[in-house]
Short mmCIF file of all heavy atoms in Angstrom, two decimals:
data_model
loop_
_atom_site.label_atom_id
_atom_site.label_comp_id
_atom_site.label_asym_id
_atom_site.label_seq_id
_atom_site.Cartn_x
_atom_site.Cartn_y
_atom_site.Cartn_z
N ALA T 1172 103.22 91.97 100.35
CA ALA T 1172 103.61 90.96 101.32
C ALA T 1172 104.28 91.62 102.52
O ALA T 1172 104.85 92.71 102.42
CB ALA T 1172 104.58 89.96 100.68
N ASP T 1173 104.21 90.92 103.65
CA ASP T 1173 104.78 91.48 104.87
C ASP T 1173 106.28 91.72 104.74
O ASP T 1173 106.80 92.69 105.31
CB ASP T 1173 104.51 90.55 106.05
CG ASP T 1173 103.06 90.52 106.48
OD1 ASP T 1173 102.32 91.47 106.13
OD2 ASP T 1173 102.65 89.56 107.15
N PHE T 1174 106.97 90.87 104.02
CA PHE T 1174 108.42 91.01 103.95
C PHE T 1174 108.87 92.22 103.16
O PHE T 1174 110.05 92.57 103.18
CB PHE T 1174 109.07 89.73 103.39
CG PHE T 1174 108.62 89.33 102.02
CD1 PHE T 1174 109.05 90.01 100.90
CD2 PHE T 1174 107.76 88.25 101.85
CE1 PHE T 1174 108.64 89.64 99.62
CE2 PHE T 1174 107.34 87.87 100.58
CZ PHE T 1174 107.78 88.57 99.47
N VAL T 1175 107.94 92.85 102.44
CA VAL T 1175 108.29 94.06 101.70
C VAL T 1175 108.67 95.19 102.65
O VAL T 1175 109.62 95.94 102.40
CB VAL T 1175 107.13 94.47 100.79
CG1 VAL T 1175 107.36 95.88 100.24
CG2 VAL T 1175 106.97 93.48 99.65
N LYS T 1176 107.91 95.33 103.73
CA LYS T 1176 108.19 96.31 104.78
C LYS T 1176 108.42 97.71 104.25
O LYS T 1176 109.32 98.44 104.70
CB LYS T 1176 109.39 95.86 105.61
CG LYS T 1176 109.17 94.58 106.38
CD LYS T 1176 110.35 94.27 107.27
CE LYS T 1176 110.15 92.97 108.05
NZ LYS T 1176 108.98 93.02 108.94
N GLY T 1177 107.61 98.12 103.29
CA GLY T 1177 107.69 99.46 102.76
C GLY T 1177 108.82 99.70 101.78
O GLY T 1177 109.01 100.83 101.32
N ARG T 1178 109.57 98.67 101.42
CA ARG T 1178 110.72 98.84 100.55
C ARG T 1178 110.39 98.81 99.07
O ARG T 1178 111.16 99.33 98.27
CB ARG T 1178 111.76 97.76 100.85
CG ARG T 1178 112.28 97.77 102.29
CD ARG T 1178 113.23 96.59 102.53
NE ARG T 1178 112.55 95.30 102.37
CZ ARG T 1178 112.99 94.30 101.61
NH1 ARG T 1178 114.12 94.43 100.92
NH2 ARG T 1178 112.30 93.17 101.54
N PHE T 1179 109.29 98.17 98.72
CA PHE T 1179 108.94 97.97 97.32
C PHE T 1179 107.70 98.79 96.97
O PHE T 1179 106.83 99.03 97.81
CB PHE T 1179 108.63 96.50 97.02
CG PHE T 1179 109.77 95.55 97.23
CD1 PHE T 1179 109.56 94.18 97.06
CD2 PHE T 1179 111.04 95.97 97.59
CE1 PHE T 1179 110.59 93.28 97.24
CE2 PHE T 1179 112.08 95.09 97.79
CZ PHE T 1179 111.85 93.72 97.61
N THR T 1180 107.61 99.16 95.71
CA THR T 1180 106.45 99.88 95.21
C THR T 1180 106.02 99.26 93.88
O THR T 1180 106.82 99.19 92.94
CB THR T 1180 106.75 101.37 95.00
OG1 THR T 1180 107.18 101.95 96.23
CG2 THR T 1180 105.49 102.09 94.53
N ILE T 1181 104.78 98.83 93.80
CA ILE T 1181 104.23 98.31 92.56
C ILE T 1181 103.45 99.42 91.87
O ILE T 1181 102.79 100.23 92.52
CB ILE T 1181 103.34 97.08 92.80
CG1 ILE T 1181 102.94 96.43 91.47
CG2 ILE T 1181 102.11 97.44 93.63
CD1 ILE T 1181 102.23 95.09 91.63
N SER T 1182 103.54 99.46 90.55
CA SER T 1182 102.82 100.46 89.78
C SER T 1182 102.54 99.92 88.39
O SER T 1182 103.07 98.88 88.00
CB SER T 1182 103.61 101.78 89.71
OG SER T 1182 104.85 101.59 89.05
N ARG T 1183 101.71 100.62 87.65
CA ARG T 1183 101.38 100.20 86.30
C ARG T 1183 101.16 101.41 85.41
O ARG T 1183 100.84 102.50 85.88
CB ARG T 1183 100.14 99.31 86.29
CG ARG T 1183 98.88 100.00 86.79
CD ARG T 1183 97.74 99.02 86.93
NE ARG T 1183 96.60 99.63 87.61
CZ ARG T 1183 95.58 98.96 88.10
NH1 ARG T 1183 95.54 97.63 87.99
NH2 ARG T 1183 94.59 99.60 88.71
N ASP T 1184 101.34 101.20 84.13
CA ASP T 1184 101.06 102.20 83.12
C ASP T 1184 100.18 101.52 82.08
O ASP T 1184 100.68 100.82 81.20
CB ASP T 1184 102.35 102.73 82.50
CG ASP T 1184 102.11 103.89 81.55
OD1 ASP T 1184 100.99 104.03 81.02
OD2 ASP T 1184 103.05 104.68 81.34
N ASN T 1185 98.88 101.71 82.20
CA ASN T 1185 97.95 101.01 81.33
C ASN T 1185 98.11 101.40 79.87
O ASN T 1185 97.90 100.58 78.98
CB ASN T 1185 96.52 101.26 81.79
CG ASN T 1185 96.21 100.63 83.12
OD1 ASN T 1185 96.88 99.68 83.54
ND2 ASN T 1185 95.20 101.14 83.81
N ALA T 1186 98.47 102.65 79.62
CA ALA T 1186 98.64 103.11 78.25
C ALA T 1186 99.79 102.38 77.56
O ALA T 1186 99.79 102.24 76.34
CB ALA T 1186 98.87 104.61 78.21
N LYS T 1187 100.76 101.93 78.33
CA LYS T 1187 101.91 101.22 77.78
C LYS T 1187 101.85 99.72 78.02
O LYS T 1187 102.79 99.01 77.66
CB LYS T 1187 103.20 101.78 78.38
CG LYS T 1187 103.46 103.25 78.06
CD LYS T 1187 104.75 103.72 78.69
CE LYS T 1187 105.02 105.18 78.36
NZ LYS T 1187 106.28 105.66 78.99
N ASN T 1188 100.78 99.24 78.64
CA ASN T 1188 100.65 97.82 78.99
C ASN T 1188 101.83 97.34 79.83
O ASN T 1188 102.39 96.27 79.60
CB ASN T 1188 100.53 96.95 77.73
CG ASN T 1188 99.32 97.29 76.89
OD1 ASN T 1188 98.36 97.88 77.38
ND2 ASN T 1188 99.36 96.91 75.62
N MET T 1189 102.20 98.15 80.80
CA MET T 1189 103.39 97.86 81.60
C MET T 1189 103.04 97.76 83.08
O MET T 1189 102.17 98.47 83.59
CB MET T 1189 104.44 98.95 81.42
CG MET T 1189 105.01 99.04 80.01
SD MET T 1189 106.04 97.63 79.58
CE MET T 1189 107.43 97.88 80.69
N LEU T 1190 103.75 96.89 83.75
CA LEU T 1190 103.69 96.72 85.19
C LEU T 1190 105.11 96.83 85.73
O LEU T 1190 106.04 96.31 85.13
CB LEU T 1190 103.09 95.37 85.55
CG LEU T 1190 102.87 95.07 87.03
CD1 LEU T 1190 101.69 95.88 87.57
CD2 LEU T 1190 102.63 93.58 87.24
N TYR T 1191 105.25 97.49 86.87
CA TYR T 1191 106.58 97.74 87.42
C TYR T 1191 106.65 97.33 88.89
O TYR T 1191 105.65 97.29 89.60
CB TYR T 1191 106.94 99.22 87.33
CG TYR T 1191 106.86 99.80 85.94
CD1 TYR T 1191 105.74 100.54 85.54
CD2 TYR T 1191 107.90 99.62 85.03
CE1 TYR T 1191 105.67 101.08 84.27
CE2 TYR T 1191 107.82 100.16 83.76
CZ TYR T 1191 106.71 100.89 83.38
OH TYR T 1191 106.64 101.42 82.12
N LEU T 1192 107.86 97.06 89.32
CA LEU T 1192 108.13 96.85 90.73
C LEU T 1192 109.44 97.55 91.06
O LEU T 1192 110.51 97.10 90.63
CB LEU T 1192 108.21 95.37 91.09
CG LEU T 1192 108.43 95.07 92.57
CD1 LEU T 1192 107.19 95.45 93.38
CD2 LEU T 1192 108.79 93.61 92.80
N GLN T 1193 109.36 98.62 91.81
CA GLN T 1193 110.55 99.31 92.29
C GLN T 1193 110.95 98.69 93.61
O GLN T 1193 110.16 98.65 94.55
CB GLN T 1193 110.27 100.81 92.47
CG GLN T 1193 111.45 101.59 93.03
CD GLN T 1193 112.61 101.65 92.08
OE1 GLN T 1193 112.43 101.93 90.89
NE2 GLN T 1193 113.82 101.39 92.58
N MET T 1194 112.17 98.21 93.69
CA MET T 1194 112.67 97.53 94.88
C MET T 1194 113.85 98.31 95.43
O MET T 1194 114.86 98.50 94.75
CB MET T 1194 113.09 96.10 94.56
CG MET T 1194 111.97 95.26 93.94
SD MET T 1194 112.43 93.52 93.77
CE MET T 1194 113.74 93.66 92.54
N ASN T 1195 113.73 98.74 96.66
CA ASN T 1195 114.78 99.48 97.35
C ASN T 1195 115.21 98.73 98.60
O ASN T 1195 114.51 97.85 99.08
CB ASN T 1195 114.29 100.88 97.74
CG ASN T 1195 113.85 101.71 96.55
OD1 ASN T 1195 114.46 101.65 95.48
ND2 ASN T 1195 112.81 102.52 96.74
N SER T 1196 116.36 99.11 99.12
CA SER T 1196 116.89 98.52 100.35
C SER T 1196 116.91 97.00 100.28
O SER T 1196 116.49 96.31 101.21
CB SER T 1196 116.08 98.99 101.56
OG SER T 1196 116.10 100.40 101.67
N LEU T 1197 117.40 96.48 99.19
CA LEU T 1197 117.39 95.04 98.98
C LEU T 1197 118.35 94.33 99.93
O LEU T 1197 119.40 94.86 100.29
CB LEU T 1197 117.77 94.73 97.54
CG LEU T 1197 116.67 95.05 96.51
CD1 LEU T 1197 117.25 95.11 95.11
CD2 LEU T 1197 115.56 94.00 96.59
N THR T 1198 117.95 93.14 100.33
CA THR T 1198 118.75 92.29 101.20
C THR T 1198 118.98 90.95 100.53
O THR T 1198 118.29 90.60 99.57
CB THR T 1198 118.06 92.07 102.55
OG1 THR T 1198 116.97 91.16 102.39
CG2 THR T 1198 117.53 93.38 103.12
N PRO T 1199 119.97 90.17 101.01
CA PRO T 1199 120.18 88.85 100.41
C PRO T 1199 118.94 87.96 100.45
O PRO T 1199 118.79 87.10 99.57
CB PRO T 1199 121.30 88.27 101.28
CG PRO T 1199 122.07 89.46 101.73
CD PRO T 1199 121.03 90.52 101.97
N GLU T 1200 118.05 88.17 101.41
CA GLU T 1200 116.83 87.38 101.49
C GLU T 1200 115.87 87.67 100.35
O GLU T 1200 114.91 86.91 100.14
CB GLU T 1200 116.13 87.63 102.83
CG GLU T 1200 116.84 87.02 104.04
CD GLU T 1200 118.13 87.74 104.39
OE1 GLU T 1200 118.20 88.98 104.20
OE2 GLU T 1200 119.08 87.07 104.84
N ASP T 1201 116.10 88.74 99.63
CA ASP T 1201 115.28 89.06 98.47
C ASP T 1201 115.71 88.31 97.22
O ASP T 1201 115.05 88.41 96.18
CB ASP T 1201 115.30 90.57 98.19
CG ASP T 1201 114.66 91.38 99.30
OD1 ASP T 1201 113.57 90.98 99.77
OD2 ASP T 1201 115.24 92.41 99.69
N THR T 1202 116.81 87.59 97.29
CA THR T 1202 117.29 86.83 96.15
C THR T 1202 116.27 85.78 95.74
O THR T 1202 115.87 84.94 96.55
CB THR T 1202 118.64 86.17 96.47
OG1 THR T 1202 119.62 87.18 96.72
CG2 THR T 1202 119.10 85.31 95.30
N ALA T 1203 115.84 85.84 94.50
CA ALA T 1203 114.82 84.93 93.99
C ALA T 1203 114.61 85.22 92.52
O ALA T 1203 115.12 86.20 91.98
CB ALA T 1203 113.50 85.12 94.75
N VAL T 1204 113.84 84.36 91.88
CA VAL T 1204 113.32 84.65 90.56
C VAL T 1204 111.98 85.35 90.74
O VAL T 1204 111.10 84.85 91.43
CB VAL T 1204 113.15 83.39 89.70
CG1 VAL T 1204 112.55 83.74 88.35
CG2 VAL T 1204 114.49 82.69 89.52
N TYR T 1205 111.85 86.50 90.13
CA TYR T 1205 110.64 87.30 90.24
C TYR T 1205 109.80 87.15 88.98
O TYR T 1205 110.31 87.29 87.87
CB TYR T 1205 110.98 88.77 90.49
CG TYR T 1205 111.46 89.04 91.90
CD1 TYR T 1205 112.70 88.58 92.33
CD2 TYR T 1205 110.66 89.73 92.80
CE1 TYR T 1205 113.13 88.80 93.63
CE2 TYR T 1205 111.09 89.96 94.10
CZ TYR T 1205 112.32 89.49 94.51
OH TYR T 1205 112.74 89.72 95.80
N TYR T 1206 108.52 86.88 89.17
CA TYR T 1206 107.61 86.61 88.07
C TYR T 1206 106.50 87.65 88.02
O TYR T 1206 105.85 87.93 89.02
CB TYR T 1206 106.96 85.24 88.22
CG TYR T 1206 107.92 84.07 88.18
CD1 TYR T 1206 108.53 83.60 89.33
CD2 TYR T 1206 108.21 83.44 86.97
CE1 TYR T 1206 109.41 82.53 89.29
CE2 TYR T 1206 109.08 82.37 86.92
CZ TYR T 1206 109.67 81.92 88.08
OH TYR T 1206 110.53 80.85 88.04
#
């Protein structure tokens, strides 16, 4: 999404059935429930 502005990184590990979201430089506008 545009609001990420290079701050977040999505990744996955298929061997572990895992999905990740690394979030850096967080701001109050990022406050939400993440699904």
